[in-house]
Amino acid sequence: LSGCDSGFGQATARHLDIMGFRVFASVLDLQSPGAQELRRSCSPRLTLLQMDLTKTEDIQRVLQHIQAHTNSTGLWGLVNNAGFNDTIADAELSPLGKFRTCMEVNFFGSLELTKGLLPLLRSASGRIVTVSSPAGDMPFPCLAAYGASKAALSLVMDTFRSELQPWGIKVSLILPGYYKTGTTCDPAFWNLHKQQLLASLPQELLQAYGEDYVEEINQQFIQFMKVAAEDLSAVVNSITDGLLAANPAVRYYPGQGLGIMYFIHRYLPYFVRDLFLKGFFINPKLPRALRQDHHNDVKKA
């Protein structure tokens, strides 16, 4: 189970431990408050492992540990939960490095871990449950780097689902609504990254969009996350069902409003979909270079 420092991973690790499972829970930092909380609240069956999904040596160390402890039994389930995003900005404003980091954690890290554990999962005819995002299915404004990595993750897991059927492995995707997890609801975290983004933007781009544009989309995101759900049990139950149900769903959609969102996405015209996502999530104002007052200023000059 990856990404157990906070949020879905931490709650699921605790839930599976209470149910009596032997849980291998990976965390980014063994000294983090989340890791210490798991040590305090879980049985000795739970094993905490340090893993940064961007580091092959970390992944290999975890793989070796799990292989050594499950060789005789095989591994029943893998939960790919770790995820990363620290940028709220248009695709043009998001540095290429942010796209790469999202891909490294959300896609390549989970892919490497999954491939490494497949021999153990095959021997047990086990389960793979992966937490993706509706942002991987729809063009949420200002989430391109995160969304692109989740789209790749969803697709590769769907491919595994089809290819691993002969081995008896069942593969499920979890696409949660918006929940309060980890740093997602910490305004200080987003403000720091917004400042770093503004400092890194080329002057010409900053002129075209305007600093107030970046401020505004970040403020809207922080406001949006204030109403995110705090009760993570719907997601934990979906992950558990993916691991234990005789016939788990291919996709789970825990959270409010996802039914209407997917209906609009699948059946209504593109412009309606775009309007809905802006109304629901972030509705950026016009970039500076497109505003009437800016045109007037340029003419006067």
Side-chain angles (χ1 to χ4, degrees):
L1 176 58
S2 68
C4 296
D5 297 81
S6 63
F8 304 142
Q10 190 191 25
T12 303
R14 193 182 297 116
H15 182 67
L16 293 173
D17 179 70
I18 289 167
M19 290 179 77
F21 288 97
R22 173 131 200 236
V23 178
F24 298 95
S26 86
V27 291
L28 199 54
D29 176 8
L30 286 169
Q31 301 313 315
S32 69
Q36 290 175 345
E37 171 60 30
L38 283 175
R39 270 193 206 96
R40 254 199 321 275
S41 62
C42 292
S43 75
R45 279 188 311 272
L46 182 123
T47 306
L48 279 175
L49 300 167
Q50 191 279 325
M51 179 174 66
D52 179 341
L53 278 171
T54 65
K55 295 179 178 163
T56 290
E57 60 271 25
D58 278 19
I59 296 173
Q60 291 306 317
R61 192 183 66 247
V62 165
L63 290 175
Q64 282 164 7
H65 182 94
I66 293 174
Q67 279 157 0
H69 289 82
T70 60
N71 244 338
S72 55
T73 58
L75 182 69
W76 174 251
L78 162 63
V79 180
N80 289 305
N81 166 69
F84 171 83
N85 181 45
D86 69 357
T87 305
I88 304 299
D90 293 49
E92 187 178 12
L93 295 173
S94 304
L96 212 52
K98 297 294 184 188
F99 281 85
R100 287 205 172 95
T101 308
C102 280
M103 277 306 226
E104 282 297 331
V105 178
N106 302 339
F107 177 71
F108 286 111
S110 296
L111 176 60
E112 187 175 348
L113 186 64
T114 302
K115 281 170 70 71
L117 290 173
L118 267 174
L120 290 168
L121 289 161
R122 281 193 285 105
S123 70
S125 292
R127 303 289 171 87
I128 300 169
V129 179
T130 300
V131 179
S132 188
S133 169
D137 287 331
M138 303 174 217
F140 277 76
C142 307
L143 279 187
Y146 177 72
S149 66
K150 289 294 194 178
L153 179 67
S154 292
L155 188 102
V156 82
M157 289 300 159
D158 217 20
T159 309
F160 275 134
R161 180 189 56 74
S162 166
E163 292 174 350
L164 294 171
Q165 272 175 342
W167 295 96
I169 293 179
K170 292 184 165 72
V171 180
S172 300
L173 274 176
I174 316 284
L175 299 118
Y178 50 112
Y179 287 88
K180 288 189 160 86
T181 60
T183 52
T184 56
C185 298
D186 178 6
F189 174 86
W190 295 109
N191 283 325
L192 171 67
H193 287 282
K194 175 197 68 191
Q195 294 304 338
Q196 289 174 347
L197 175 70
L198 286 169
S200 73
L201 284 178
Q203 204 49 41
E204 187 264 331
L205 259 188
L206 199 53
Q207 286 297 317
Y209 280 85
E211 194 169 319
D212 58 336
Y213 178 91
V214 178
E215 294 276 358
E216 166 80 5
I217 55 179
N218 274 271
Q219 276 312 116
Q220 283 192 35
F221 176 74
I222 288 168
Q223 282 302 118
F224 175 81
M225 289 316 295
K226 278 183 182 166
V227 293
E230 291 187 37
D231 179 4
L232 309 183
S233 59
V235 180
V236 173
N237 291 340
S238 294
I239 293 171
T240 307
D241 197 75
L243 287 171
L244 299 181
N247 291 298
V250 171
R251 286 180 160 222
Y252 293 87
Y253 300 96
Q256 292 294 311
L258 292 179
I260 184 78
M261 193 185 291
Y262 273 91
F263 176 83
I264 289 168
H265 174 66
R266 287 194 182 122
Y267 299 111
L268 299 186
Y270 279 106
F271 79 91
V272 177
R273 180 184 77 173
D274 294 348
L275 277 174
F276 173 77
L277 285 174
K278 284 177 179 170
F280 169 74
F281 184 55
I282 290 175
N283 191 4
K285 60 183 187 179
L286 272 179
R288 181 189 285 161
L290 299 175
R291 285 178 226 152
Q292 194 60 47
D293 55 349
H294 176 76
H295 284 298
N296 293 342
D297 290 346
V298 171
K299 277 179 196 158
K300 279 180 204 158

